[in-house]
Amino acid sequence: METYRNYIGGKWVESVSANRTENKNPANVDDVLGVVRLATREEAARAVEAASEAARSWRQTPAPARGRIVARFARLLEENKEDLARLLTREEGKTLSESRGEIQRAANVADFCAGEARRMNGETIPSELPSNFAYTIKQPHGVVAVVTPWNFPVAIPVWKIAPALVAGNTVVFKPATNTPATAARIVALFAEAGLPAGVLNLVLGSGSDAGDEIVNHRAVRAVSFTGSNGVGVKLYEQCARRGVRVQCEMGGKNPVIVLEDADMNLAVESTVQGAFGSTGQRCTATSRAIVVDRVADNFIERMIARAESLRIGDGSDPSTEMGPIVDAAQFRSVLQYVDIGREDGASLVCGGGPADGAGLRKGYFVKPTIFAGVTPDMRIAREEIFGPVLSVMRVRDFEEAMQVANDSEFGLSSSIFTNDAARIFRFVEEIETGMTHINSPTTGGEAHVPFGGIKSTGIGDFEQGSTALDFYTELKVVYVDYTGRKREGNLY
Ligand code: NDP
């Protein structure tokens, strides 16, 4: 059985740690993929030092040359797509088609970032003084820490590592403890693409130990994080004390609004996709359906029929439409929210327990679950569940729908189903989310379009698209005086 290794200073090194965990297939816990030795603090610090040693020559490598390596990585991702998709499905549980989609998204992001390497332009600014001008240049921070969750263990690391490298930073990558295999494969492909030793380092360790060591290491100048609000806010506080830049993409409680004139088939199919795709374990998953009274019964009835028809199973079976929950802790947490929903008085109209049919007993399978009669004060309407659980809330009209949709601490994604142009534009203007969709699911994005949230979902710059490199570069302003004389007058 494979024991995963850290990648430090261009070498695969086994951890000396006695602290181990097994990497299990969530669709069948008897299938053990490998063993993780959770890196010690000393090993994590060594990875930061390796990144620090490589920083000078990497920042001096011309950006287009850095971009060529990232482009080569994109090709390797595509060439290895099938193998990597199977590994991702076995490790995280999503269906094979979802895995293939995630890997293609990662390749697209890497391609986009490689192109950005030729566009790291600054500005030239004319002066108010004769024979003077100013210009700006974009420079890397130095060592960047990339801390990622398990739900998109290929795409999220790539959409952080690729722009960090293109911008000239070196990276210490700390993936989630329960997705070490895909993390190691990504790093191996970056190495194969030609990254010099020390430019990208991998530490497989627990967040509270190795992660904490990396984030708080004095050589780390920026931290990019995706995950829970609890951890993100803690990292933000820690980094603020050292004046280190932070980018956090955290939870969501994404609403879909369905108005009386909505195309009901489209609204139902899109909500099924948004709520139950990737087993609801997406930060952009639809978790609240806010439906006007007149069409609510029809919406709920159709949603139940579609949810009950979903084929649940091992993601490696091509007929599976919804895979398992990622691990035992998340499985318990999702089922606990089902109990909370019941206790708070919501009416459970679909699912609501483990899916335990033939072939499902050895995995963390949960039935697609729908609660009706949910009110805005209930915990299932306010807290991120991160599983296939949808809360349906009835409202009188568009005005109340907007008020309920915005009554959330989160602000990641949203969508509306209507053909009324005036309401669509009011929705776009007033909805408090970083991304929004019209007549399509709350999920999904494109590699060349910015991605991020507002309110308590997001801290710092958006990721990807035109904003991909913002977080990974700092600006330097240069004044040039070619008069050869002492400056006349004052510049304030
Ligand atoms: P966490 O926020 O717990 O973990 C995310 C990453 O941070 C992991 O790599 C974790 O390591 C690491 N980490 C944890 N503590 C520290 C620390 N003190 N210092 C440095 N790094 C740390 O998310 P989970 O993956 O456990 O998921 C839990 C919840 O987070 C979900 O239920 C969901 O609500 C939310 N989530 C949101 C996502 C989003 O995209 N918005 C994505 C994934 C999760 P380790 O794995 O070792 O704990």
Side-chain angles (χ1 to χ4, degrees):
M1 191 189 307
E2 187 175 359
T3 300
Y4 307 108
R5 287 176 295 170
N6 297 315
Y7 188 67
I8 300 176
K11 293 198 175 70
W12 291 98
V13 280
E14 194 149 315
S15 169
V16 298
S17 171
N19 199 356
R20 298 164 186 228
T21 69
E22 285 185 334
N23 185 19
K24 291 181 182 169
N25 179 346
N28 173 7
V29 292
D30 290 346
D31 176 23
V32 180
L33 284 75
V35 172
V36 192
R37 287 179 150 206
L38 297 172
T40 61
R41 283 186 176 266
E42 291 70 31
E43 289 162 343
R46 216 175 306 137
V48 178
E49 283 145 25
S52 195
E53 280 158 28
R56 191 175 167 79
S57 74
W58 184 243
R59 76 185 277 148
Q60 287 171 347
T61 304
R66 299 193 298 250
R68 265 198 298 276
I69 296 176
V70 172
R72 223 174 288 139
F73 165 76
R75 298 290 70 73
L76 287 171
L77 261 187
E78 286 178 335
E79 284 164 22
N80 290 278
K81 188 167 166 180
E82 202 48 38
D83 269 7
L84 193 49
R86 288 184 186 279
L87 180 66
L88 171 50
T89 290
R90 195 172 157 215
E91 182 170 60
E92 197 270 351
K94 62 184 64 178
T95 67
L96 263 180
S97 80
E98 287 168 341
S99 291
R100 291 186 189 112
E102 174 173 349
I103 293 159
Q104 191 56 53
R105 170 83 175 267
N108 296 347
V109 169
D111 271 334
F112 179 87
C113 291
E116 288 297 276
R118 292 186 181 273
R119 281 186 289 271
M120 286 187 55
N121 311 331
E123 294 183 274
T124 307
I125 307 153
S127 170
E128 56 185 74
L129 300 175
S131 300
N132 273 257
F133 71 99
Y135 68 95
T136 61
I137 51 176
K138 290 178 184 162
Q139 296 192 302
H141 299 290
V143 180
V144 170
V146 163
V147 182
T148 55
W150 44 263
N151 64 334
F152 281 84
V154 175
I156 295 177
V158 170
W159 80 49
K160 294 178 189 296
I161 294 170
L165 295 177
V166 161
N169 301 282
T170 57
V171 174
V172 181
F173 168 33
K174 210 306 278 171
T177 302
N178 47 6
T179 48
T182 41
R185 284 287 283 142
I186 295 168
V187 171
L189 294 180
F190 266 117
E192 193 181 334
L195 270 190
V199 171
L200 172 61
N201 303 274
L202 171 70
V203 177
L204 300 171
S206 84
S208 53
D209 231 356
D212 182 73
E213 179 70 28
I214 294 165
V215 165
N216 291 295
H217 195 292
R218 67 188 149 68
V220 168
R221 299 310 311 157
V223 176
S224 181
F225 167 85
T226 297
S228 63
N229 279 64
V231 173
V233 168
K234 181 175 162 188
L235 301 193
Y236 188 35
E237 283 171 358
Q238 290 175 332
C239 291
R241 281 187 222 118
R242 294 196 295 120
V244 163
R245 288 191 73 183
V246 181
Q247 173 183 56
C248 291
E249 200 263 298
M250 299 172 285
K253 193 72 196 168
N254 311 296
V256 49
I257 292 180
V258 182
L259 297 184
E260 54 273 34
D261 70 325
D263 175 333
M264 198 45 80
N265 267 338
L266 183 64
V268 167
E269 288 306 318
S270 303
T271 307
V272 166
Q273 233 178 328
F276 306 128
S278 304
T279 323
Q281 299 176 120
R282 303 172 80 128
C283 49
T284 53
T286 308
S287 58
R288 293 182 293 155
I290 302 166
V291 190
V292 295
D293 257 330
R294 260 178 54 197
V295 293
D297 287 337
N298 186 12
F299 176 82
I300 292 168
E301 206 175 294
R302 289 183 190 217
M303 280 296 298
I304 295 170
R306 276 297 282 120
E308 285 177 345
S309 77
L310 288 175
R311 277 189 301 274
I312 304 170
D314 186 328
S316 63
D317 175 342
S319 70
T320 294
E321 291 174 296
M322 194 179 94
I325 298 286
V326 73
D327 63 17
Q330 281 295 122
F331 180 71
R332 280 194 299 274
S333 163
V334 171
L335 294 178
Q336 227 166 29
Y337 270 108
V338 173
D339 291 342
I340 290 169
R342 279 206 194 96
E343 285 157 19
D344 282 355
S347 104
L348 180 65
V349 293
C350 178
D356 51 7
L360 302 181
R361 291 198 181 91
K362 289 187 172 172
Y364 303 118
F365 296 97
V366 171
K367 292 178 186 157
T369 297
I370 302 173
F371 279 104
V374 177
T375 54
D377 54 314
M378 290 181 186
R379 283 181 65 190
I380 56 168
R382 309 204 74 79
E383 297 174 19
E384 185 178 46
I385 298 173
F386 228 62
V389 180
L390 180 73
S391 297
V392 183
M393 302 154 92
R394 284 171 182 263
V395 288
R396 276 187 313 279
D397 53 18
F398 174 71
E399 305 300 327
E400 191 185 357
M402 288 305 297
Q403 189 249 317
V404 170
N406 284 335
D407 181 15
S408 171
E409 64 168 302
F410 299 112
L412 186 56
S413 186
S414 56
S415 80
I416 189 166
F417 287 86
T418 178
N419 289 308
D420 181 330
R423 282 173 167 171
I424 288 173
F425 285 110
R426 265 198 60 201
F427 169 76
V428 168
E429 196 175 309
E430 293 172 24
I431 192 73
E432 295 169 0
T433 58
M435 298 173 287
T436 195
H437 298 256
I438 311 304
N439 290 321
S440 59
T442 56
T443 52
E446 297 194 44
H448 57 287
V449 179
F451 181 99
I454 59 170
K455 295 167 92 174
S456 71
T457 294
I459 294 167
D461 298 304
F462 274 33
E463 305 188 73
Q464 301 177 67
S466 58
T467 50
L469 265 63
D470 289 355
F471 177 71
Y472 297 100
T473 52
E474 53 198 10
L475 209 60
K476 183 172 279 173
V477 179
V478 185
Y479 283 94
V480 180
D481 180 333
Y482 55 99
T483 60
R485 292 191 302 275
K486 178 172 167 270
R487 184 185 290 158
E488 302 279 335
N490 290 316
L491 283 184
Y492 292 103

